Amino acid sequence: MYLVDYLRSHRVWFKTLLHPPASSAAKLASSLHVPGRAVAKTVLVKAGGEYVLTVLPATSRIDMNRLAAALRHEPGSVRLATAEEVTRFFPNCEPGAIPPFGRLYGIATVLDAGLADQFEIVFGANTRHEGVRMRFADYEAVEAPLRASFADPIAVRSATSVRRRHAG
């Protein structure tokens, strides 16, 4: 089922957003002029013998040890899925355009608590040129993800630190 049909079937408000193709959540945020903390990035991981879709702010990255603890797995037992594994689970999605609805694809979803303070979130749909905006509360009601704290902010280099690095 295509994501838009899925959301319509749940009778929640959402808005589709057409934009230039974006290969990452950060590029989606830039293209749509939306703060990265309000853009949901999806990453498929393998935890032990199961696959889990993680959803976190575009401005963050996964701390694998904290994710393993949240999923009640041993440290080191969680890894990123390979490109082949991602394609197998999301055959109707372009690379880099996985929606944050693991339930739609038969897998569990874990949401980083960092997205929970957003009134609305934006995320990629099944293609790299289409995004979706919806209320966070509606997303959580439809998906019912496990909520955990497993992401760390990505350090942003300041212009000063970049200049210092190139001056030496």
Side-chain angles (χ1 to χ4, degrees), residues 1-10 90-93 99 101 103-105 126:
M1 178 183 284
Y2 186 68
L3 178 63
V4 170
D5 297 328
Y6 182 69
L7 293 175
R8 282 185 185 133
S9 75
H10 282 84
F90 304 98
N92 67 336
C93 296
F101 292 90
R103 182 178 294 236
L104 180 59
Y105 296 90
N126 301 74

Side-chain angles (χ1 to χ4, degrees), residues 63-121:
D63 178 317
M64 291 295 190
N65 288 331
R66 286 183 23 221
L67 179 59
L71 297 173
R72 297 189 173 149
H73 284 275
E74 294 295 320
S77 66
V78 178
R79 67 166 174 82
L80 297 176
T82 65
E84 293 79 22
E85 290 167 327
V86 172
T87 300
R88 184 170 23 126
F89 277 97
F90 304 98
N92 67 336
C93 296
E94 291 180 2
I98 299 169
F101 292 90
R103 182 178 294 236
L104 180 59
Y105 296 90
I107 56 176
T109 301
V110 60
L111 170 80
D112 182 70
L115 276 174
D117 60 352
Q118 301 299 314
F119 178 71
E120 292 181 344
I121 59 171

Side-chain angles (χ1 to χ4, degrees), residues 120-161:
E120 292 181 344
I121 59 171
V122 173
F123 49 87
N126 301 74
T127 66
R128 290 184 288 184
H129 66 274
E130 186 177 18
V132 172
R133 177 188 309 270
M134 72 183 297
R135 292 180 194 97
F136 175 80
D138 289 339
Y139 165 75
E140 197 166 39
V142 170
E143 183 60 13
L146 167 68
R147 193 189 289 196
S149 181
F150 61 86
D152 290 323
I154 297 171
V156 178
R157 291 186 192 164
S158 69
T160 305
S161 69

